[in-house]
Amino acid sequence: MRELNTRLRTKSFVLGTAVILVVLAGYLLLQASLFSGMDTKRVGLAGQAASIAQPLREQADAFGLDVETTTVADPAAGREQVAEGELDALVTGSAADLTVVVDKSLDDQLRAALGGIARNEVLSAKLVEAGVNPDQVLADVAATQVRVIPLEQEDDTNGQRLVIGLIMVFLLYMSIVTYGSLVAQGVVEEKASRVVEILLSTVRPWHLMLGKVLGVGLVGLTQLLILAGAGLVMATATGVLTLSGVAVGTILWGLVWYLLGYFLYATVYAGAGSLVSRQEDAQSVLTPVSMVLIIGFVVGLNLLIQDPDSTASEVVSMIPLLSPVLMPGRIATGVAPLWQIGLSIVLTLLTVALFTWLAGRVYRNAVLHTGARMKLRDALKG
C-alpha cells in the first residue's frame, strides 16, 4: 500500500504516463494520415493524355494501386505541381506515346499501368491495320488468367498482427525494465536511509521484499493498462487498427505475461539491490540482470520480424527468461499453439518460484549489510 500510495501520486508517474499518451496519440494520427494517402497516386493529365483517365484508373486498380486523376490545362503549371509535391506524376502525349514527368522516380505499379495503356493502344492500331477487331482481341487477352492453387489460405491480417505483437513486446520490455529497476532502487534507498532496520523490527525480510515487489508491480500494471487501453481506443478510432479483437486478446495475454515477467525479474532486481548500500553502486549489480532482458528483447524482436513461426522463435519463446518478451508477440501473430503457451507458462512459473526463493535468501542475508558491496555467494551462504 505504501508503494502504491507513494508512486501512483508522484508527478513523475502522472506526467510520464501523460507524455507517453500524447506521443502515442500523435504517432497514431500521423500513421492515420500517412495510411490514408500513401496508396493514392495523384496523376495530372495534360493534352491528349486526358483521354486515358478511365483506362488508367482501371489498369491501376488491376495492379492494386489507387490513382486520382486531374486534368491539367497547362503542362508548365503541371510541372510546378509535381515539383511542389501536389502531383506525383504529370502525363502528356498521345495514348500510344506517353511522357511522364516525376519529381525523382516513377512508382513501379504506376509505370506498369501506363505502360499497359500504351501497349494496348499500339496493339489496337496494329490490329486495325491487319483488319482484326481490336476490342475482341483485347477482351480475349484480358480474360486470360493464370490459375493459382494455394496450399494454404493467405491471412491478410498478418501485417497488423505482427505490428500488434511488436508493440506488446516493446511495452512489456519497457515495463519490466522500468519497474524492476524501481524495485532495486527502492531497496537501496531503504538501506541507505536505514529505514529497513526499522521495518524489519516488525516484519519479516521476505514479507518486506514481496510487499515492495507487489506494490511497484501494481503501479506498473496500472500504467500498462492505461497505455494499452488508450492505445487500443485511439488506434481503432483513427482507423490504423482494424483487428480490435486481436488487439484485445493481445492485451489480455500481455497482462498475464507482464505479471509473469515482472515477478520473474523484480525478485531478482530486489535481491541484487540488497547487495549494495549506495545508489552509485547499484548499476554494477543491476547491469547483468538488465543485459538478459535487453538480449531477450533484441533477439525476440528480430525473430518476430523475420519469422515468428520459425524453429528459432519457438525454441527461444520457451526459455523462461525470454518467454515474457517473445511469447506474447507470437501469440499476437497467431502462430503459437496452446501447448507451447501452456508449457512456457508452466516453465516460467517454476522459474519464478525458484528465483523468488533465491532472491528472498539473498535479500534476507544482505539487506542489513552496510558498507562495501556484498558478494553474491556470501549472501547465498548466510
Side-chain angles (χ1 to χ4, degrees):
M1 289 303 298
R2 173 188 172 277
E3 295 292 340
L4 282 171
N5 291 331
T6 301
R7 298 189 185 277
L8 283 177
R9 296 176 181 177
T10 59
K11 291 182 179 179
S12 60
F13 176 83
V14 176
L15 291 177
T17 304
V19 168
I20 295 174
L21 287 175
V22 170
V23 172
L24 179 61
Y27 174 76
L28 290 173
L29 290 174
L30 176 63
Q31 290 297 311
S33 63
L34 290 176
F35 288 157
S36 63
M38 67 183 302
D39 293 330
T40 302
K41 298 299 179 183
R42 296 159 296 177
V43 180
L45 305 175
Q48 298 180 53
S51 63
I52 71 166
Q54 184 61 31
L56 176 58
R57 287 193 289 269
E58 292 175 356
Q59 285 277 352
D61 185 62
F63 286 104
L65 182 67
D66 185 18
V67 169
E68 178 184 305
T69 60
T70 56
T71 302
V72 178
D74 183 7
R79 287 174 176 267
E80 291 183 5
Q81 288 179 290
V82 172
E84 293 174 359
E86 297 177 10
L87 290 176
D88 294 303
L90 172 67
V91 182
T92 60
S94 65
D97 186 20
L98 297 173
T99 300
V100 186
V101 178
V102 295
D103 185 28
K104 292 182 179 179
S105 62
L106 180 62
D107 180 84
D108 290 338
Q109 293 176 315
L110 183 57
R111 182 193 297 274
L114 291 169
I117 292 173
R119 285 190 293 271
N120 286 344
E121 187 67 21
V122 172
L123 179 59
S124 296
K126 295 298 182 182
L127 291 172
V128 170
E129 290 179 7
V132 180
N133 184 351
D135 292 336
Q136 182 61 48
V137 174
L138 292 176
D140 292 341
V141 172
T144 303
Q145 300 289 335
V146 176
R147 288 182 298 171
V148 179
I149 304 176
L151 296 178
E152 294 183 9
Q153 188 66 33
E154 182 181 5
D155 189 354
D156 296 332
T157 64
N158 284 339
Q160 281 200 47
R161 285 177 174 273
L162 179 59
V163 171
I164 293 171
L166 293 176
I167 291 174
M168 181 52 65
V169 167
F170 178 76
L171 286 176
L172 288 173
Y173 166 74
M174 291 301 299
S175 297
I176 293 173
V177 168
T178 300
Y179 288 96
S181 299
L182 283 178
V183 170
Q185 292 174 12
V187 171
V188 177
E189 288 174 1
E190 290 176 353
K191 283 191 66 174
S193 63
R194 299 297 181 92
V195 171
V196 67
E197 297 176 6
I198 300 174
L199 294 174
L200 289 180
S201 64
T202 56
V203 297
R204 295 181 179 180
W206 73 273
H207 285 170
L208 182 60
M209 184 193 79
L210 191 58
K212 180 172 289 294
V213 169
L214 284 171
V216 176
L218 288 174
V219 175
L221 183 63
T222 301
Q223 187 178 59
L224 183 62
L225 280 171
I226 293 172
L227 296 178
L232 174 61
V233 172
M234 289 186 288
T236 304
T238 54
V240 173
L241 176 67
T242 58
L243 300 177
S244 56
V246 175
V248 171
T250 301
I251 290 174
L252 295 177
W253 274 115
L255 297 179
V256 172
W257 283 104
Y258 166 77
L259 293 174
L260 291 171
Y262 171 78
F263 280 106
L264 179 67
Y265 282 96
T267 52
V268 178
Y269 272 113
S274 66
L275 295 173
V276 297
S277 302
R278 301 184 307 165
Q279 292 290 354
E280 295 83 354
D281 302 327
Q283 200 59 41
S284 63
V285 295
L286 299 184
T287 297
V289 184
S290 299
M291 284 301 298
V292 174
L293 261 175
I294 293 172
I295 292 172
F297 172 69
V298 173
V299 171
L301 206 63
N302 281 281
L303 289 175
L304 280 177
I305 293 172
Q306 293 175 10
D307 184 5
D309 200 22
S310 65
T311 302
S313 297
E314 292 179 3
V315 172
V316 174
S317 67
M318 305 299 287
I319 300 174
L321 289 174
L322 305 182
S323 293
V325 176
L326 184 54
M327 185 57 78
R330 295 189 64 232
I331 293 174
T333 57
V335 299
L338 286 176
W339 73 266
Q340 290 184 5
I341 298 173
L343 180 58
S344 62
I345 289 176
V346 171
L347 292 175
T348 305
L349 283 171
L350 293 174
T351 308
V352 168
L354 174 63
F355 280 11
T356 300
W357 178 78
L358 290 173
R361 185 180 181 87
V362 171
Y363 183 88
R364 182 189 65 203
N365 297 326
V367 72
L368 292 177
H369 175 79
T370 58
R373 169 187 168 182
M374 189 176 189
K375 294 182 179 180
L376 178 60
R377 62 173 178 269
D378 295 334
L380 288 171
K381 289 178 182 178

